[in-house]
């Protein structure tokens, strides 16, 4: 791809015996919100920090906007904004002072008006005069996004921006990310929340044990399952679902005690068959649940494990 803003080729990073990043290649296009989704220890932070120029790869090549990141990452500093851990912030400054101080690190004299414009983008303008230690967790995360934007970068990197936030704060941050992306900035984020990846990202690389095991749009990843929905239920007594399992629309049947689950590409047919089986065996079915397939199911399908296990 000629036009990729980020081009990662055959990236490898090893820590002793651990292949933290194991031959990963990916291209990220201008204007994308690109997600790196994976469980703890998958290598998400390692790959992000190599792209940001903070960790040196063992092998491989990384280009940002046509410039090689390594061996001299200073060349790409002006292109990128990196969200820092909020714990590093100085508590004795106000929010606006912090933004202006950060701008000064880039040699930028930022006026109050400009600082407040930036704070408005992260929905923090009403907190401009608040001390940093008075911010909530979600507000601190949004402030750290503002700080990553002081140099007006082309690419913004967010490493697990919503971990530890409550659902409301998480949604607010999603809106902020969408707004920044709507202004044309490319965003690369890591997450282990499948819903976050599904809502925000144009494309997602699913990582596991240092490898990118799938890369596609959220819809493309879910379609790759070949199933529309996951059906789960419990039975009062053991149910023989052998016949159901042999239906072509049904896959990945599993049973644990009296809890059953399977995927189907034909919900109506499967439910009808299931109820027919239950009736013919005089078994009562409870807690019948039909859920649209999601990225968690994709991960489970690819690895045999859940994202949070
Ligand atoms: N500096 C380091 N020294 C030794 N091992 C490391 C180092 N950094 C990461 N690792 C190992 O590399 C692997 C990938 O770690 P990484 O932090 O990239 O995962 P992650 O996907 O970001 O996980 P999390 O979701 O927990 O943040 C892990 O096995 C980790 O223990
Ligand atoms: Mg990490």
């Amino acid at each position: 791809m000629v036009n990729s803003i980020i081009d990662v080729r055959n990236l490898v990073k090893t820590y002793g015996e651990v292949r933290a990043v194991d031959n990963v290649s990916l291209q990220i296009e201008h204007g994308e919100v690109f997600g790196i989704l994976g469980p703890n220890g998958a290598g998400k932070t390692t790959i992000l920090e190599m792209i940001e120029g903070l960790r040196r790869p063992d092998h491989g090549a990384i280009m940002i906007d046509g410039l090689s990141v390594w061996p001299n990452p200073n060349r790409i500093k002006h292109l990128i904004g990196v969200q820092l851990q909020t714990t590093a912030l100085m508590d004795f400054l106000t929010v606006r002072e912090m933004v202006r101080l950060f701008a000064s690190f880039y040699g930028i004299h930022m006026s109050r008006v400009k600082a407040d414009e930036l704070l408005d983008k992260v929905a923090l303008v009403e907190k401009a005069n608040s001390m940093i230690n008075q911010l909530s967790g979600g507000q601190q995360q949004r402030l750290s996004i503002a700080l990553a934007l002081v140099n007006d970068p082309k690419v913004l990197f967010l490493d697990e921006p919503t971990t530890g936030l409550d659902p409301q704060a998480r949604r607010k941050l999603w809106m902020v990310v969408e707004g920044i992306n709507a202004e044309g900035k490319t965003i690369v984020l890591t997450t282990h929340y499948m819903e976050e990846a599904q809502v925000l990202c144009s494309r997602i690389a699913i990582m596991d044990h240092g490898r990118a095991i799938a890369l596609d749009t959220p819809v493309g990843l879910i379609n790759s399952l070949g199933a529309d929905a996951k059906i789960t239920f419990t039975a009062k007594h053991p149910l023989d679902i052998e016949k159901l399992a042999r239906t072509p629309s049904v896959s990945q049947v599993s049973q644990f005690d009296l809890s059953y689950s399977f995927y189907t590409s034909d919900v109506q047919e499967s439910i009808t068959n299931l109820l027919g089986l239950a009736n013919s065996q005089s078994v009562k079915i409870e807690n019948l649940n039909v859920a649209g397939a999601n990225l968690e199911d994709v991960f489970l399908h690819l690895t045999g494990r859940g994202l949070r296990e």
Side-chain angles (χ1 to χ4, degrees):
M1 271 169 255
V2 196
N3 210 18
S4 306
I5 186 144
I6 295 176
D7 189 348
V8 171
R9 299 284 163 111
N10 305 109
L11 214 52
V12 175
K13 181 76 180 177
T14 315
Y15 297 108
E17 298 285 279
V18 180
R19 284 211 143 205
V21 173
D22 189 0
N23 199 26
V24 170
S25 297
L26 44 92
Q27 284 77 45
I28 298 173
E29 307 308 320
H30 285 269
E32 279 202 277
V33 178
F34 189 92
I36 301 174
L37 177 69
N40 292 132
K44 302 182 298 294
T45 296
T46 307
I47 191 163
L48 211 62
E49 292 192 351
M50 288 191 287
I51 299 172
E52 294 163 354
L54 300 174
R55 286 197 215 189
R56 183 185 289 273
D58 298 340
H59 298 285
I62 306 165
M63 307 272 279
I64 300 183
D65 208 24
L67 294 176
S68 188
V69 175
W70 297 96
N72 181 9
N74 282 329
R75 292 177 66 206
I76 54 97
K77 282 272 148 61
H78 66 288
L79 294 170
I80 69 168
V82 176
Q83 185 188 26
L84 296 172
Q85 292 288 313
T86 44
T87 46
L89 299 181
M90 280 161 264
D91 284 345
F92 50 86
L93 295 178
T94 68
V95 168
R96 184 190 294 112
E97 285 166 351
M98 191 72 200
V99 168
R100 298 181 73 188
L101 176 67
F102 248 68
S104 75
F105 294 159
Y106 286 89
I108 299 164
H109 176 77
M110 189 178 279
S111 66
R112 284 173 63 108
V113 172
K114 285 280 174 213
D116 286 4
E117 277 174 23
L118 186 51
L119 288 171
D120 192 38
K121 290 189 217 277
V122 298
L124 266 189
V125 78
E126 72 280 11
K127 292 284 173 188
N129 292 311
S130 300
M131 303 300 281
I132 287 166
N133 59 10
Q134 291 164 354
L135 299 180
S136 71
Q139 289 165 346
Q140 287 193 22
Q141 283 298 77
R142 300 207 303 278
L143 172 58
S144 70
I145 292 179
L147 299 178
L149 292 172
V150 291
N151 62 331
D152 195 23
K154 286 191 173 181
V155 189
L156 176 65
F157 293 95
L158 308 173
D159 194 357
E160 297 200 19
T162 66
T163 294
L165 299 187
D166 61 69
Q168 196 189 347
R170 180 169 297 149
R171 269 163 218 286
K172 188 145 192 177
L173 195 135
W174 291 352
M175 285 172 64
V176 163
V177 169
E178 281 167 348
I180 293 164
N181 178 244
E183 289 186 358
K185 293 197 192 301
T186 305
I187 296 171
V188 185
L189 62 88
T190 72
T191 183
H192 50 237
Y193 296 116
M194 68 87 193
E195 191 194 357
E196 179 159 293
Q198 204 154 338
V199 168
L200 281 181
C201 298
S202 50
R203 289 190 307 145
I204 297 163
I206 297 183
M207 287 200 63
D208 190 37
H209 297 308
R211 271 171 297 170
I213 55 175
L215 197 167
D216 203 342
T217 61
V219 170
L221 287 167
I222 290 165
N223 285 347
S224 72
L225 276 175
D228 297 336
K230 183 180 187 180
I231 295 180
T232 56
F233 62 95
T234 54
K236 271 267 189 202
H237 304 285
L239 179 69
D240 180 2
I241 51 168
E242 182 63 32
K243 206 170 140 198
L244 185 74
R246 285 201 307 268
T247 324
S249 59
V250 167
S251 60
Q252 296 183 69
V253 180
S254 81
Q255 178 186 356
F256 182 73
D257 286 341
L258 294 172
S259 297
Y260 299 76
S261 76
F262 62 90
Y263 289 85
T264 177
S265 56
D266 189 335
V267 172
Q268 188 169 345
E269 179 194 67
S270 295
I271 298 266
T272 308
N273 289 346
L274 172 62
L275 297 179
L277 274 182
N279 284 337
S280 69
Q281 296 173 38
S282 300
V283 173
K284 197 167 168 54
I285 279 180
E286 296 177 321
N287 307 316
L288 180 62
N289 181 45
V290 181
N294 61 34
L295 293 172
E296 183 79 43
D297 300 313
V298 176
F299 189 81
L300 197 67
H301 177 67
L302 290 170
T303 66
R305 311 191 313 282
L307 265 168
R308 306 300 206 84
E309 280 166 36

